[in-house]
């Protein structure tokens, strides 16, 4: 009985050490996941702001058609009738 108790106690200590190591790995993994998640959200926000696009207002569209917009940069997106290219 004494030998069996000692063996069980050794097994318990090994399992507790293994559990502590696993819990540490989980904590480290969770910290890395949070850091990467925050980085992704930050990059998504930066891309969204960098690529913000809005449609032309009525006055801008009219000026664009008549060539009096005074704007030297415009982007034309293709529709179904175009050949699929984007003009800059």
């Amino acid at each position: 009985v004494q030998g069996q108790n000692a063996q069980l106690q050794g097994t318990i200590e090994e399992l507790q050490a293994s559990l502590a190591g696993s819990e540490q790995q989980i904590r480290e993994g969770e910290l890395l996941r949070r850091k990467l998640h925050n980085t992704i959200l930050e990059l998504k926000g930066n891309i969204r702001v960098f690529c913000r696009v809005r449609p032309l207002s009525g006055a801008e569209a009219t000026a664009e058609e008549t060539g009096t917009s005074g704007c030297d940069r415009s982007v034309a997106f293709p529709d179904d009738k175009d050949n699929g290219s984007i003009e800059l």
Side-chain angles (χ1 to χ4, degrees):
V1 175
Q2 288 285 4
Q4 202 174 23
N5 273 350
Q7 185 181 13
L8 289 175
Q9 186 65 30
T11 304
I12 289 172
E13 289 173 2
E14 288 175 20
L15 290 173
Q16 287 175 337
S18 175
L19 177 63
S22 296
E23 287 175 342
Q24 179 63 28
Q25 286 180 334
I26 289 173
R27 280 191 293 275
E28 290 171 0
E30 183 66 18
L31 289 174
L32 179 61
R33 186 198 66 78
R34 286 181 189 166
K35 180 181 175 184
L36 293 173
H37 176 73
N38 289 337
T39 301
I40 289 170
L41 289 179
E42 180 183 342
L43 290 173
K44 277 184 179 179
N46 291 345
I47 290 169
R48 188 175 302 119
V49 169
F50 182 75
C51 297
R52 188 173 293 151
V53 179
R54 65 169 175 78
L56 295 175
S57 68
E60 291 170 332
T62 304
E64 184 76 22
E65 289 173 6
T66 60
T68 61
S69 67
C71 179
D72 60 347
R73 302 230 184 230
S74 64
V75 177
F77 293 96
D79 59 14
D80 293 336
K81 300 173 194 170
D82 291 337
N83 62 4
S85 63
I86 297 178
E87 299 174 19
L88 296 177

